[in-house]
Every structure is written in C-alpha cells, then in structure tokens.
Amino acid sequence: MTSPDLEPATEPAFEPVLELARERDHHDACRAALARMAEDVAEQVVTGEDVAASGADAEALGYHLRSRAKEFGEQPPGPLFFGRLDREDGQILHIGRRRIAENPATPPLVIDWRAPVSRAYYQAGAHDPQGVVRRRRFGWAPYSQGDSADLTGLEDEYLRSGTGTAGEIVTQEIERPRTGPMRDIAATLQPEQDDLVRSGPAVSLCVQGAPGTGKTAVGLHRAAYLLYTHPQRVRRSGLLVLGPSRTFLSYISEVLPALGESGIRQSTVDEEIARQGVRAVDGEAAALVKHDARMARVLRTALYARVDTAPAVPLTVRDGSYHWRLTADELARIVTAVREEAPPYATGRERVRDRVVRALQLQAERRAGPLGGAWARRIERARPVSAFVDGCWPKVTPEEVLAEVLTDPRDEALTSDEREAIRWARPPRSYRSAKWTAADLVLLDELAGLIERPEGYAHVVVDEAQDLSPMQCRAIARRAAFGSLTVLGDLAQGTTPWAAGGWREQLVHLGKPDAEVVPLTIGYRVPEAIVALANRLLPTLGADVAPAASLRAGGEVTCTAVESLVEGVVEAVAKALTREGAIGVIAAEPMVAPVARALAAIGIEADGRVAVVPATLAKGLEYDHVVVAEPAAIVAAEPRGHHRLYVVLTRAVSRLDLVHSEPLPDCLGGAAA
C-alpha cells in the first residue's frame, strides 16, 4: 500500500511534529474505516436473514454473520496500529492487531500482525533488511482508548544504513506498570518469540521458559496466529487453552480478544475432566498413587476383565421357521478378534454385535438369498443377541469400574502399601452414592476415554505444564490425539507433589514424545536484581534449567525484619501505594485473611490496585510491586516450598519487598536490606 501523504523515507531526517500529524490523520482514517466495517457487518446480518437457501444453509450463514457482528462489537478499544514498515518497493504497511480496509477491493489501511508480510516487522534487521527501508514504532499514551491525540511519539530505524533509534519505545512498553489483566505483546514480540508463535498447526512445541520470558504470551499469540492462518482447520475442531487456576485464566482473559479472537474455550484441567462434583479429599499417599501413570494400566485391566472371550454356550436366534446358530467356538473367535483390535470399550461392544449379526446373516443368505438392512436391524435387536453381547461384553460406566477398583484394589502393578493407600476405608453401598475426590475425577476421565474416545481439539495450549501429573497429562493427550500442543512451563516452578523432573517424560505422557523443547532464558519483564535473588534458589530445586537472565537492568529488592508481621506488611503496602503500578501481597495461606483484614481496617481494600494472594495461587500472575509476607512460612507450608518461594519472588516486575519476623531461608542469606 502506498500513500501520497506518507512517502517512504530514505534519509533519517524528518520533522517529528509533521510526521506525528500525518500518522494521527492516518489513524483517524483507520478509525472511520473500522466504523464502516462494523456497520457493513451489521447490515449483512439483516440482509442475510432474507437470503433464499435451505434451512441448514440459512442457519449456517446466519451463525457466521452474527459471529462476525459479535466479534466487531466485542473489539476492545485501543490504538489501531503500533508499527509501520516502509519497503524498498514503495509500499507503506501499518501493522496492527487486526486488518482494516475501506472496502475489500482496496489495499488495507492496517495489516494484521499475523499476516506473512508483517513478519518482517519482527524479524528484519540491519544484517537482513528483508526489503525494509525503515521500521517505525509508535508510542501511545498509557491506557489509551484509541484517541488519535494519544499518539505521542515515533521511533524510526533505518535498516539499510543501520541508523536511527531502536528499542526505546519497546522498552517503555515492556516496562509499563502492570494494572489489571495481562496485556498482549503483539507490539513487542522478539524474533525468537515470533519464531515460536508462527509455528505450523501440525507442530507440537514445549517452551521451557524462565520467569519473565513471555512464555504464556507466546502460547496465547500462537493460538491467535493459528486461528488466523488456518481458520477452517482450527475452528472446526476447536482450540483449548488450559491454565492452572481460574485466577490465572481471569488474568489472561483479555489477551485473545485484544488480538481479534473471541469464543475460545479457556479452562482448567479439573474443569475439563469433571464428570462429578468433588465431595471428598484424598490423603497425600492416596493422591500420589492415583496420579501415577501405573493407574492407567490398573484401570484398563479392571475394565477389560469384564470381557468374556470364552463363552460357554452357543447362540441360537429364531427367525420365523428357521433357527440360526453360532457355536461357542465361533463366538469366542469373534470376541477374541475384537479384543485384540483394542478399540474403545463401547466401540468393541458394538463391533461384537455387528460381527455376530453378520455371521448369522451369512448363514441365512446361504439358505434364503440376499437379505436387506431391515433383516440385520431386526436380528441385532433380538433378545438372544442382546443377551449374548451383555454377557460377553457388558455395558459399564466409569464410576462403576472405579468403585470396584477402590473397594478392592488387586492389581499387582501396585505394591501392597499402594493398594491399601487407595482402598476405601468405608465403601459406599453403591457407586452412585460414592464421594469422589479430585484425583478420582482424573481416573474417571481415564476410564471414560477407554470406554468412548472423547472429541478432540485441533490445538491445545497447556500452561504451567510442569505441575501436571502423568494421569492429568494423559487426559490432555486424549483431547489432542489428532491435534497439536503448545506446552508451556518452567521446571524450576514445579510445586505439585508429582511435578515433572524433565520435559521428555512429560511429553511422552502428553502423547507428543517428539515435540521440540525450546528454552527461553532471557527475561524481558522481571528486572535483573529480582532475577538474581530468585536464582539463588536454583541449587535447592534440583531442576535441570539454566539460570535466568534479564535484559532489564535495575529493579528494587528490600528486606525488612519486623516484630509484627501483619503491621510490617501493612506499612510496606502503604509505601508501595505512593508509587505507580499494581501491588501483590503474597503469603502462606494462614496469613492471607489477617493481612486482608488489616489492610481493610485502614481503608486499603483488595481491588484492581492491591491484591492479597495465597502463595498457592500466585503462579502465572504479575505485579509491579510484590510484598512477600514471611518467606520462611511459604517454604515450610509444603514439601516443595522452595519451588513455591521461587514462584513468589518472580511475580514482581519492578519492586520486591521481603517482610519477615522469622529468619529468612538460608538460600536467601544476604538479601538486600
């Protein structure tokens, strides 16, 4: 696209005020064009209702048009472009979060950041200009709603001559104080992040990302990229984003809509597999056994033990004046053959029925000639056939099988102590009245997948994957059996009892053993001083990960010893409120309520500016200023307490306060005072 008012520059010199005025005018034109696009879509919805077509076609068309109208209506406010490319061929391309054009036949005013031509914005450099003369970045006022007057600065980089400025606006955007939900990073993607984002739909990736490296943002941007480049393939089967908690999902909820994608399922593993409500709690020993990969074998054995591959009596079916008969040996061959094919349990049951009916039909056709489908349907409903199928391959529910396993676990895959750990102390009178635990739901999902294969997704993004148990990984693998995965995590942040020790084994459980593991070790959000403090914990974690590094110099770390922990935390929060940005108070679970009450007593309510968060829910969140209440209590609260403290320390993206009344953990000795 070329413009008479925006000629590509070949010399560094330009008049900033004039250039700003031109770009603001262009933004006004984009805003007007976007409004017309929204009006056109709304008009198409009305017009589409009168289109003559079959009922199904009309319904599909109406759904498509209404979805587009909803998408335009939900478009969040904000600047319409963040960058510009001036190319050697004279084209000027403005890069934004969505395509904007005056009409479909004219060149776009804004190019979608995911379009192939936009890649040069992230990848071009003086070593490889990729046909780009100038790359321009735009500085917008913080929290701009998209008013053209909020365009406050320009930053030009001349790639052929290697002159101009590069990075100041990007740095300001990365370091901008964090308030509210997570923001997208389309304007600040780095080349190595862009490479991951633009991986193809069939590629499964595992991103081992140190704190602040943007691994979560990479996963979400890859989801948006796949929806843009392969819309039919991905939307037909769906795209799923799995996070560790509802708090985390709320935090990332605005990223995909900001990138122009809505209607994507965002869930937790527990929500995705829930068949029953959780009404009981496992002891630690029982939970460890239930999440172990060996339980898959235990459940499969228990389920298929119901199949009788050696029926003792023949099958006789009356058909008018005829009686058709299959011997016990013939029936055994049918059942054994199906069992060896290892189909899902419910499929195997119907396969046995079909083959029995077919064997009977072959007998009948030798005597009476060809028989139609009506005959076969009548025979398959015959009482002797149904009785045989129910006897050799009985219908069953996951709850029924699991109740039998937990009532009397016998499988030798488990030790005697492990069998006793999962055995119900007081078995329910019926599986219908059983009180299931959270770990039981994972086992029920395994059984449900053995009985009937679940519908899958074209792509699944899994965040904090290092905390998943082998059985949880298998639940995800079933949903991505014919799709791909983006696996995100950090082995150093593994806090569950079954946290992964390495990615290769975890990827085997996820069904993608050949997925590439890509490390991200350069942090862009967490500053150097905080990263250095957190790295002191690495020797105690036993995780095979490289120490993180940060491109952000500075950062503030303070350590304050107090007599009253609650009073010390309140004082630290009051001081933090004098500066810009979101504040997170992170503490062990017992301290959360007392701290929240003390803050409320002086008029500081937990809201968008201040959040009081238990350490167990801090994973994935970010705050400009973090106040850590009693680090030693966080370490002591759970077996993997040092891993939890590593997570807590790296939630701060500007300032970190350690407030303690007990001695600090040894690994933090010498923390800043």
Side-chain angles (χ1 to χ4, degrees):
M1 179 184 69
T2 60
S3 168
D5 296 324
L6 295 172
E7 292 298 330
T10 58
E11 298 294 335
F14 65 90
E15 174 55 49
V17 175
L18 181 59
E19 289 291 311
L20 271 176
R22 288 177 174 176
E23 296 292 4
R24 287 168 178 161
D25 288 345
H26 185 71
H27 192 268
D28 287 336
C30 294
R31 180 67 67 192
L34 183 61
R36 286 193 295 272
M37 290 170 66
E39 292 172 1
D40 290 345
V41 170
E43 185 177 342
Q44 288 171 13
V45 173
V46 177
T47 305
E49 294 177 352
D50 299 326
V51 173
S54 68
D57 289 343
E59 184 176 351
L61 176 62
Y63 177 80
H64 172 71
L65 294 175
R66 288 192 298 273
S67 296
R68 286 196 64 205
K70 183 172 183 284
E71 178 184 325
F72 271 91
E74 293 178 348
Q75 184 71 20
L80 300 181
F81 54 77
F82 51 78
R84 166 178 151 174
L85 294 177
D86 294 8
R87 298 181 57 84
E88 292 176 349
D89 57 10
Q91 282 188 311
I92 294 178
L93 307 175
H94 283 77
I95 313 299
R97 290 170 177 83
R98 69 169 304 141
R99 183 183 188 275
I100 300 174
E102 293 179 327
N103 63 70
T106 60
L109 299 173
V110 177
I111 305 290
D112 194 297
W113 68 276
R114 296 165 288 185
V117 73
S118 299
R119 188 167 196 185
Y121 181 76
Y122 302 104
Q123 297 286 346
H127 63 288
D128 180 19
Q130 300 184 18
V132 177
V133 177
R134 175 173 65 183
R135 173 167 47 214
R136 171 171 287 179
R137 293 182 172 90
F138 298 101
W140 294 85
Y143 317 114
S144 170
Q145 298 296 297
D147 191 315
S148 296
D150 292 338
L151 178 55
T152 58
L154 307 173
E155 180 180 273
D156 283 353
E157 184 181 2
Y158 296 86
L159 302 187
R160 291 188 301 182
S161 62
T163 59
T165 58
E168 294 179 8
I169 285 179
V170 172
T171 300
Q172 291 171 6
E173 174 62 21
I174 290 175
E175 297 182 0
R176 178 153 62 91
R178 188 68 91 186
T179 300
M182 180 180 180
R183 302 190 301 267
D184 71 85
I185 61 168
T188 61
L189 274 174
Q190 301 302 300
E192 67 275 14
Q193 296 173 325
D194 182 67
D195 287 336
L196 298 175
V197 166
R198 294 179 191 268
S199 302
V203 176
S204 289
L205 286 175
C206 175
V207 181
Q208 159 59 43
T213 55
K215 58 183 178 295
T216 297
V218 165
L220 295 175
H221 285 66
R222 187 183 184 203
Y225 174 78
L226 292 176
L227 286 163
Y228 175 84
T229 53
H230 304 276
Q232 298 303 320
R233 176 174 179 172
V234 176
R235 291 190 186 279
R236 182 170 58 249
S237 297
L239 192 149
L240 173 66
V241 175
L242 290 174
S245 67
R246 267 290 139 195
T247 301
F248 175 81
L249 292 174
S250 175
Y251 176 62
I252 68 170
S253 62
E254 293 187 10
V255 173
L256 287 168
L259 296 172
E261 301 297 344
S262 58
I264 297 172
R265 179 168 174 77
Q266 299 186 31
S267 183
T268 67
V269 175
D270 289 344
E271 291 172 349
E272 193 67 14
I273 66 175
R275 290 174 54 91
Q276 304 282 348
V278 175
R279 299 172 57 200
V281 178
D282 278 313
E284 182 179 345
L288 283 170
V289 177
K290 290 178 180 180
H291 280 282
D292 192 284
R294 290 172 297 161
M295 285 302 298
R297 171 184 158 181
V298 171
L299 298 176
R300 173 177 283 275
T301 300
L303 175 62
Y304 283 95
R306 297 167 174 270
V307 176
D308 182 5
T309 57
V313 296
L315 169 66
T316 301
V317 179
R318 182 175 180 178
D319 179 25
S321 59
Y322 296 106
H323 288 76
W324 312 119
R325 186 172 183 272
L326 294 177
T327 67
D329 287 343
E330 290 175 307
L331 295 171
R333 284 194 293 272
I334 290 173
V335 178
T336 299
V338 173
R339 178 69 183 87
E340 290 175 349
E341 293 165 6
Y345 186 90
T347 302
R349 173 181 160 87
E350 295 310 311
R351 196 172 290 178
V352 167
R353 185 191 303 274
D354 291 343
R355 292 185 185 179
V356 166
V357 171
R358 179 58 180 161
L360 294 170
Q361 186 173 359
L362 290 174
Q363 284 188 25
E365 288 181 341
R366 283 195 291 269
R367 179 179 293 259
L371 299 170
W375 184 93
R377 289 190 292 273
R378 177 165 54 83
I379 294 300
E380 74 180 14
R381 293 194 298 268
R383 185 172 298 173
V385 173
S386 295
F388 168 74
V389 174
D390 288 340
C392 75
W393 204 296
K395 198 171 185 179
V396 71
T397 66
E399 288 80 2
E400 187 177 356
V401 177
L402 184 57
E404 291 184 3
V405 169
L406 299 181
T407 297
D408 186 16
R410 300 180 180 181
D411 199 296
E412 295 298 322
L414 305 178
T415 67
S416 58
D417 289 343
E418 289 171 333
R419 292 195 294 271
E420 286 305 310
I422 65 173
R423 187 188 302 274
W424 273 336
R426 299 179 61 186
R429 298 182 63 180
S430 164
Y431 71 88
R432 293 183 177 86
S433 60
K435 295 181 179 179
W436 305 108
T437 67
D440 291 337
L441 300 191
V442 182
L443 303 183
L444 289 173
D445 189 78
E446 178 77 20
L447 283 164
L450 290 171
I451 293 171
E452 190 167 2
R453 184 174 290 115
E455 292 186 8
Y457 292 88
H459 191 78
V460 181
V461 178
V462 190
D463 208 350
E464 303 297 347
Q466 78 281 346
D467 277 336
L468 298 173
S469 72
M471 294 302 289
Q472 289 174 318
C473 288
R474 289 177 60 86
I476 296 169
R478 285 189 289 277
R479 289 158 174 81
F482 302 104
S484 55
L485 291 176
T486 298
V487 180
L488 311 168
D490 179 9
L491 297 176
Q493 297 185 54
T495 53
T496 59
W498 40 78
W503 284 119
R504 278 297 152 209
E505 184 178 0
Q506 197 79 333
L507 290 170
V508 169
H509 295 312
L510 286 165
K512 307 296 179 184
D514 298 325
E516 182 182 4
V517 180
V518 182
L520 293 178
T521 59
I522 303 300
Y524 300 96
R525 290 289 296 166
V526 184
E528 187 176 41
I530 296 174
V531 169
L533 179 66
N535 281 344
R536 296 186 194 180
L537 275 71
L538 289 180
T540 70
L541 305 184
D544 185 17
V545 298
S550 177
L551 289 183
R552 288 187 62 187
E556 298 179 21
V557 177
T558 60
C559 183
T560 307
V562 296
E563 292 185 3
S564 169
L565 182 67
V566 172
E567 291 179 5
V569 169
V570 170
E571 183 178 349
V573 171
K575 289 181 180 179
L577 284 170
T578 64
R579 304 173 72 173
E580 191 176 9
I583 302 163
V585 181
I586 306 179
E589 186 78 40
M591 289 303 304
V592 170
V595 168
R597 286 195 297 269
L599 290 172
I602 63 169
I604 301 175
E605 297 288 346
D607 55 17
R609 181 83 195 278
V610 178
V612 183
V613 182
T616 52
L617 295 181
K619 192 167 291 183
L621 306 180
E622 284 187 352
Y623 303 95
D624 289 282
H625 193 128
V626 167
V627 178
V628 182
E630 204 66 88
I634 293 173
V635 171
E638 53 188 306
R640 295 176 69 89
H642 284 93
H643 293 76
R644 184 72 69 186
L645 182 59
Y646 180 82
V647 172
V648 169
L649 297 181
T650 53
R651 299 310 92 200
V653 297
S654 292
R655 301 175 297 280
L656 176 66
D657 277 350
L658 305 181
V659 180
H660 64 101
S661 58
E662 301 176 14
L664 289 174
D666 292 342
C667 54
L668 293 183

